[in-house]
Amino acid sequence: MAKKNEGGGFSQSAGLMRYFDSEDNDKAPKLSPKMVIGIAVAFVAVIVILNVFLPMN
């Protein structure tokens, strides 16, 4: 009988990385969705403020 291949090989992954299988899972930074949105809003605010006080044109 043929043995079933349990591991996702190179041909099955088609170049996609599987980060959730990483052994260093507890070392990865944990960010909530609210934190990501807050960082994005703060970044946009800084860009707008810089554009008002230091215009490029």
Side-chain angles (χ1 to χ4, degrees):
M1 247 189 217
K3 184 177 169 184
K4 186 176 180 182
N5 187 4
E6 294 292 328
F10 178 72
S11 63
Q12 293 176 352
S13 65
L16 301 175
M17 298 296 293
R18 297 177 65 183
Y19 292 106
F20 55 86
D21 286 342
S22 175
E23 294 177 4
D24 300 329
N25 204 10
D26 33 327
K27 293 181 182 178
K30 304 269 192 267
L31 296 174
S32 70
K34 291 180 183 178
M35 179 72 75
V36 173
I37 291 173
I39 291 170
V41 168
F43 185 73
V44 169
V46 167
I47 297 299
V48 168
I49 291 169
L50 285 174
N51 199 16
V52 168
F53 291 112
L54 300 170
M56 294 294 287
N57 294 333

